[in-house]
Every structure is written in C-alpha cells, then in structure tokens.
Amino acid sequence: MAKYLISFPSVAMVVADDGWDAVVRDSHAVIEEARAAGVYVFGGGIDEGVPPVLVSADGAVTGGGYPWAPTLNGGLTILELPSRDEAIAWAARIARACRCDQELRVFGFDPQS
C-alpha cells in the first residue's frame, strides 16, 4: 500500500457563487466514502489567511516561503491505496466533486518514518 497526495491549487477551482453548497456536499461525500472504504488518511486545505514563514536550521524565521517557488495553496487529500489505478479512480471522484482537475503524486516509502 502506498500513500497518494491528491491536490489542486486554489486557482483551479472555479465555481459560481451559487455552486459552493453543492461542491461542499459532494466533496464531503467523497471523503466519507474514502473513510468508509478505509483508505482515508488526511485531507484539508491550506489556510491562505496565514502567511507562510521560512524556518532555517538555526531557528531563524523569515516571512514568506521560498521566493523562487510557486505559492502553495489549495486543497489536498491523502489516501492509502493498493495501486496507482485505484489512486487515479479516487482522484477522478474528487475531481468531479471539487469541479476541477486533481494532481496525483505518490509518497516515497521511508521505512524510518
């Protein structure tokens, strides 16, 4: 079993003002299905109201993230699944619920973590 990150940036989610209730309902339904199937690990969204900080090895804190990196925002779900094909199927379900394409990545296995 591998853990998969299914995510999207905020700008990908274009929903009419009167469509948000349906998106919330549908996305929560998919998460409940993942929980019932025993594959749900974690999900949520980046709190874009709290700016990131960069913390160095000596504990120094600098406002903002890496200046050269794209902004990290949007929503994410982590599922533990037996195959990439199943991850793709779940990503498609989440894409339908969220009304936007989802990016799929697999976490590398680290036996020490």
Side-chain angles (χ1 to χ4, degrees), residues 24-103:
V24 169
R25 179 196 66 230
D26 294 350
S27 62
H28 287 174
V30 172
I31 295 305
E32 287 306 314
E33 292 169 13
R35 282 189 175 123
V39 300
Y40 181 81
V41 175
F42 176 81
I46 301 295
D47 186 341
E48 296 173 34
V50 179
V53 296
L54 199 58
V55 181
S56 68
D58 67 3
V61 177
T62 307
Y66 287 105
W68 47 264
T71 301
L72 178 61
N73 59 29
L76 59 99
T77 305
I78 299 171
L79 302 179
E80 188 167 31
L81 299 160
S83 72
R84 185 170 178 85
D85 287 342
E86 284 198 41
I88 290 169
W90 277 102
R93 293 168 81 173
I94 293 170
R96 277 190 300 279
C98 291
R99 309 330 193 248
C100 64
D101 292 348
Q102 301 291 304
E103 185 172 273

